[in-house]
Amino acid sequence: GCSTQVYNDYYNLFVKYLENKHKKVIAHPINFSFWERSEDRTKTLYLLDVYLNDKLNLITIQLGENSISDLTKYKSDFEQLVKYTAKKAPNANILIIGDWWDFKRNEIRKETAKNNNCTFVDLSSVIGDKKYQSKAGQICHLSNGQTITVTKEAASHPSDLGMHFIADEIIKHLEKTTR
C-alpha cells in the first residue's frame, strides 16, 4: 500500500488503537513476502519460528496478494501457513485479513479462517473501489525517511482512506472476538 505518511498505514493505525486500549503493546510487523513468491512455501515456514511462541495473544495474517502460484496451490499453502502459525503460537487469536484485489483469494482466506477457528476480516466490499485506492503521482513517505511516488501500476494499492478502512475492519473484528 501507499499511505502518505508511515503513521497512516493500517499496521500503525491498528497498533495505535491497541496502545490506547491496553497501554503496553509489543508489536512487530513481519514482511513475509518471499513466501508469496516461493515455489516451495513449506521450506519458508521455519523462518517464522523466531517470531512465534506461546506468549503471543494476537496475530494478523495479511499475505498472498503477490502470490505466484495457481489458486489450488495457494489454497493449500495458505492453509498450511495458518496451521503452522496456530501450532507455534497456540494462545494467539489469529485474524486473517482478506485480499485487497481478488475475490477468489478472498474466499480462500475466508474458508481457511473458518477451517482453523480464526477470525476473518473481510475487505471484499472495497475490492476495486478507486475511492480507497492510491493515485499515480501520490508521494508516500517511508519509515526510513525516503519518499516514493506511486506509479500507474501501483495505483490500485490502498490509499490513506484504504488504510483506515483496513484498520477499522481489523478493529471491528477484534472487538467482536474479545467481548
Side-chain angles (χ1 to χ4, degrees):
C2 188
S3 53
T4 56
Q5 300 292 329
V6 175
Y7 53 79
N8 281 337
D9 73 11
Y10 81 84
Y11 168 78
N12 284 297
L13 293 168
F14 181 56
V15 170
K16 183 177 179 184
Y17 158 81
L18 291 173
E19 288 171 343
N20 287 337
K21 189 167 180 136
H22 300 287
K23 303 302 177 222
K24 183 178 179 186
V25 174
I26 300 170
H28 301 285
I30 302 166
N31 182 340
F32 203 49
S33 61
F34 52 86
W35 176 90
E36 297 172 306
R37 294 175 180 91
S38 177
E39 293 294 332
D40 186 356
R41 294 184 181 124
T42 59
K43 291 183 178 177
T44 66
L45 295 177
Y46 80 94
L47 297 169
L48 294 172
D49 289 355
V50 297
Y51 302 104
L52 301 174
N53 61 62
D54 61 359
K55 292 177 180 58
L56 296 174
N57 59 13
L58 178 65
I59 296 172
T60 60
I61 299 175
Q62 185 270 317
L63 190 65
E65 280 85 357
N66 298 305
S67 177
I68 62 168
S69 64
D70 65 65
L71 286 178
T72 303
K73 178 119 175 70
Y74 172 77
K75 180 178 181 178
S76 63
D77 288 350
F78 194 77
E79 183 92 23
Q80 191 171 31
L81 168 70
V82 172
K83 285 183 184 306
Y84 187 88
T85 302
K87 182 180 178 185
K88 294 288 184 171
N91 298 316
N93 181 5
I94 299 175
L95 278 68
I96 297 174
I97 302 170
D99 195 281
W100 181 255
W101 288 289
D102 188 278
F103 287 103
K104 290 179 182 173
R105 281 192 312 254
N106 195 63
E107 286 304 309
I108 288 170
R109 292 184 197 184
K110 184 177 186 177
E111 183 180 332
T112 301
K114 182 180 176 188
N115 292 343
N116 292 279
N117 198 29
C118 299
T119 300
F120 178 66
V121 179
D122 194 1
L123 305 180
S124 65
S125 66
V126 298
I127 290 177
D129 189 337
K130 293 199 181 303
K131 174 182 170 184
Y132 294 93
Q133 296 175 359
S134 196
K135 293 177 178 38
Q138 174 67 54
I139 304 297
C140 301
H141 297 266
L142 306 178
S143 59
N144 63 7
Q146 296 180 341
T147 61
I148 60 167
T149 303
V150 175
T151 63
K152 182 180 174 185
E153 295 78 21
S156 64
H157 286 75
S159 64
D160 285 352
L161 185 61
M163 292 291 186
H164 278 270
F165 174 82
I166 295 168
D168 290 345
E169 288 300 304
I170 294 169
I171 291 164
K172 180 170 61 175
H173 285 80
L174 180 63
E175 287 178 346
K176 283 182 192 175
T177 63
T178 56
R179 286 185 180 163

